[in-house]
Amino acid sequence: MRRNIAADVPEYLMKSILLTRHSVLPGFGMAMGFTMVYLSLIVLIPLAGLFLKTAVLSWEQIWATISSPRVLASYRLTFGASLIGALINAVLGVAVAWVLVRYTFPGKRILDALVDLPFALPTAVAGITLATVYSENGWLGRYLAELGIKVAYTPLGVVVALTFIGLPFVVRTVQPVLDDLDPELEEAAACLGAGRLRTFYHVLLPAMFPAIVTGFALALARAIGEYGSVIFIAGNIPMVSEITPLLIITKLEQYDYPGATALGATMLVVSFVLLLIINALQRWAWLRTGRR
Amino acid sequence: MSATITLPSGRRLAAATTEAPLVRGLLIAIVILFLGLFLLVPLAAVFYEALRKGVEVYFASFANADARAAIKLTLIAAAISVPLNLVFGIAAAYAIAKFEFPGKSFLISLIDLPFSVSPVIAGLIYVLMFGLQGWFGPWLQEHDIRIIFAVPGIVLATIFVTFPFVARELIPLMQEQGTEEEEAAVLLGANGWRMLWRVTLPNVKWGLLYGVILCNARAMGEFGAVSVVSGHIRGLTNTIPLQVEILYNEYSFAASFALASLLSLLALVTVVAKALLEWKIRRDQEAALRESTQ
């Protein structure tokens, strides 16, 4: 009996043998070479430099920096406000995506285009205008003040700013899913006697779920590192409304380079861990809905 | 014996797969209220505050020497960083989309890295490289080269934060196109550059344009990263967003919002361009689909 030799070769090897050898297209070396050099110079080496600078510090020095009460308070605000902002966006983002895909009403296309505004509007501009609108005599702050709600220069202001910058993520991840959804699924649910709410909960929501999780995580990651839109509306009161990225800048301005380095490396590690979790969640969510 | 199946009529089926008018109206109202409060009101406030003291004050804000220097520096930073990231984006997308090699998805993650790094950290890493206390600080000082608190630092920070934009737009588009057209061009005797110029790039031109527009908007509007490396030297190392911050903190609100309105106009142009390009790409795809099915 003849053995199939190809069956013994691992698939990824087969793939690389078959595909790289047979490509007739020119320029791979040059394109790849430029990509690697540019990526290393701009991104990889400077980021590695941050960790090398951290490695020079003693463990006590790092720990003293990243666990001081003022820094701990900034973590609570940064992560807490980012989480609340991302949750608001997860709920209202689904509503926005739903309305933009399913209904027609005047001005819909303008609203649809405007959803991208937080991506395109510079963060400093978002910061000063949100601070103005939500200050005590601003367009919205005035009415909120009458209700006894202070937004500008409080942690609530941080939540508002982080909700603003995270707004497009869930909308833009859920929209294409809703667009592609087979109407027969909903028709089947209706024929089987399910009401709209039940159809939404058992048919539509599971289909949208991976996209919602992705959008939520992207908004969260963006919010944690955000600086420009927050500092104007936050008031930056130590222990109360001071975010972690601002503390890094404060330390740099005081020439406390070891402190800024340690805090920067900590935030970078958190971002990387979050990125890994996002990837794992996405894979889990797609697998889960894929089997259904 | 035959069973009769009665299907619900069109209208009843439609009613079963959409919501009651009341629910629909309520949802639309909530969405308009949310987007109105969070997007429209802040956007309108920029122009209102900029023009509040009159048109003359508005235009006088741009005549100021510091404002002009800031506008000039912003244009310079974008003019250097956007073309560099464009060339990188094309090279990276070509290598990733048209060839197979191990570690591809890892490379894509590395290219996306600047998106997940806080802008403040993007500035910090260059300070640690080229600042006085940094790796190359002493050497740079000996040779009297300034990078941090000078224009090169601002350009570097801008390149970092806009790094993935073009590549990210192009990679999925080029992957979708496949390699057949390029292979045909090469077999017909085109050299690499000719193939790139005549086949690869025209196939992705709208995505390319969109990537460049996004990259440019971000390059001109970047605040956090540039703020760390700039040193805020008036007339020398202030970009438009930094000048907006300084004027705002000095309570020169009209001047601050006047400069901010420039950036807001840029953002509006970007958003509209995106909507138009998406509409065009979708229309092209539908036309191609119709052609292929006929």
Side-chain angles (χ1 to χ4, degrees), chain A residues 26 38 42 103 116 129 196 225, chain B residues 19 42 85 94 118 126 271 274:
Chain A
Y38 191 72
I42 299 290
Y103 305 153
D116 282 319
T129 184
R196 276 313 275 171
Chain B
E19 290 73 45
N85 283 337
Y94 181 71
S118 169
Y126 291 114
V271 163
K274 184 194 173 210

Side-chain angles (χ1 to χ4, degrees), chain B:
Chain B
M1 218 174 89
S2 67
T4 41
I5 303 166
T6 45
L7 286 169
S9 70
R11 186 176 290 179
R12 269 183 56 203
L13 191 63
T17 52
T18 188
E19 290 73 45
L22 188 71
V23 178
R24 222 180 313 165
L26 201 68
L27 275 174
I28 292 176
I30 290 173
V31 164
I32 290 179
L33 192 73
F34 175 57
L35 296 183
L37 286 184
F38 272 85
L39 298 180
L40 284 177
V41 169
L43 184 65
V46 173
F47 294 99
Y48 175 77
E49 294 288 337
L51 292 165
R52 202 156 102 168
K53 299 236 169 89
V55 182
E56 283 117 68
V57 178
Y58 180 74
F59 284 107
S61 320
F62 303 121
N64 178 291
D66 289 344
R68 293 211 163 188
I71 294 171
K72 199 174 142 199
L73 181 57
T74 296
L75 292 176
I76 290 172
I80 299 172
S81 55
V82 174
L84 275 174
N85 283 337
L86 171 64
V87 173
F88 162 74
I90 293 172
Y94 181 71
I96 288 170
K98 306 289 176 181
F99 298 89
E100 290 300 323
F101 54 89
K104 193 191 262 193
S105 56
F106 183 61
L107 180 61
I108 297 177
S109 312
L110 287 182
I111 291 174
D112 275 344
L113 213 52
F115 275 155
S116 49
V117 172
S118 169
V120 170
I121 292 172
L124 174 70
I125 57 176
Y126 291 114
V127 171
L128 294 178
M129 290 286 273
F130 303 115
L132 264 186
Q133 315 255 333
W135 298 108
F136 302 110
W139 187 88
L140 288 170
Q141 200 183 22
E142 254 171 50
H143 293 78
D144 206 24
I145 304 169
R146 297 205 68 152
I147 292 184
I148 300 306
F149 304 146
V151 177
I154 290 171
V155 172
L156 270 175
T158 308
I159 290 176
F160 183 94
V161 292
T162 56
F163 186 86
F165 280 100
V166 179
R168 248 184 110 116
E169 283 307 314
L170 288 187
I171 291 169
L173 266 181
M174 281 197 188
Q175 274 174 333
E176 230 172 80
Q177 301 279 348
T179 54
E180 279 160 22
E181 288 184 38
E182 275 89 356
E183 280 160 8
V186 169
L187 293 179
L188 288 171
N191 70 21
W193 294 114
R194 201 177 152 93
M195 173 208 75
L196 186 73
W197 195 247
R198 289 294 181 84
V199 179
T200 309
L201 292 182
N203 273 339
V204 295
K205 58 179 184 272
W206 298 117
L208 191 78
L209 183 61
Y210 175 42
V212 167
I213 288 172
L214 272 185
C215 185
N216 179 62
R218 184 71 199 268
M220 290 190 169
E222 178 51 29
F223 175 70
V226 172
S227 170
V228 175
V229 295
S230 139
H232 301 88
I233 308 162
R234 269 164 200 263
L236 281 178
T237 62
N238 269 347
T239 59
I240 302 178
L242 296 178
Q243 188 71 16
V244 165
E245 181 199 19
I246 288 186
L247 291 170
Y248 183 85
N249 287 340
E250 283 173 351
Y251 304 102
S252 318
F253 294 127
S256 173
F257 276 100
L259 279 177
S261 74
L262 275 190
L263 293 172
S264 304
L265 281 177
L266 177 72
L268 281 177
V269 169
T270 305
V271 163
V272 170
K274 184 194 173 210
L276 287 177
L277 281 173
E278 266 174 357
W279 175 72
K280 173 139 188 58
I281 289 172
R282 190 177 294 181
R283 215 185 47 171
D284 285 356
Q285 272 172 351
E286 273 163 16
L289 202 70
R290 240 176 289 131
E291 244 168 56
S292 66
T293 50
Q294 262 170 15

Side-chain angles (χ1 to χ4, degrees), chain A residues 35-212:
Chain A
T35 301
M36 292 314 290
V37 169
Y38 191 72
L39 177 71
S40 304
L41 285 180
I42 299 290
V43 180
L44 301 182
I45 294 173
L47 279 178
L50 173 66
F51 286 112
L52 283 177
K53 276 275 178 193
T54 317
V56 177
L57 306 174
S58 75
W59 182 238
E60 288 82 29
Q61 219 176 344
I62 298 174
W63 186 246
T65 306
I66 64 173
S67 68
S68 78
R70 193 170 160 189
V71 173
L72 287 179
S74 82
Y75 295 152
R76 271 195 294 276
L77 176 67
T78 306
F79 292 106
S82 300
L83 203 64
I84 297 171
L87 280 173
I88 295 173
N89 278 319
V91 175
L92 288 174
V94 172
V96 174
W98 180 268
V99 165
L100 289 178
V101 171
R102 291 294 172 100
Y103 305 153
T104 44
F105 55 93
K108 178 175 124 163
R109 286 187 71 165
I110 296 172
L111 273 191
D112 194 0
L114 269 182
V115 167
D116 282 319
L117 192 71
F119 281 155
L121 195 71
T123 53
V125 178
I128 61 168
T129 184
L130 286 173
T132 306
V133 166
Y134 284 97
S135 73
E136 260 173 56
N137 39 25
W139 284 354
L140 299 174
R142 165 178 339 164
Y143 302 106
L144 291 168
E146 272 173 28
L147 300 171
I149 305 169
K150 268 195 75 175
V151 179
Y153 319 124
T154 68
L156 192 57
V158 180
V159 173
V160 167
L162 295 179
T163 307
F164 174 84
I165 57 131
L167 198 151
F169 289 99
V170 174
V171 181
R172 291 301 185 226
T173 47
V174 171
Q175 251 177 336
V177 176
L178 272 179
D179 247 337
D180 288 345
L181 212 61
D182 194 346
E184 279 175 23
L185 282 176
E186 284 166 73
E187 284 164 17
C191 290
L192 291 170
R196 276 313 275 171
L197 211 59
R198 199 160 161 203
T199 307
F200 180 81
Y201 194 73
H202 287 287
V203 177
L204 296 169
L205 201 58
M208 287 189 276
F209 192 69
I212 298 173

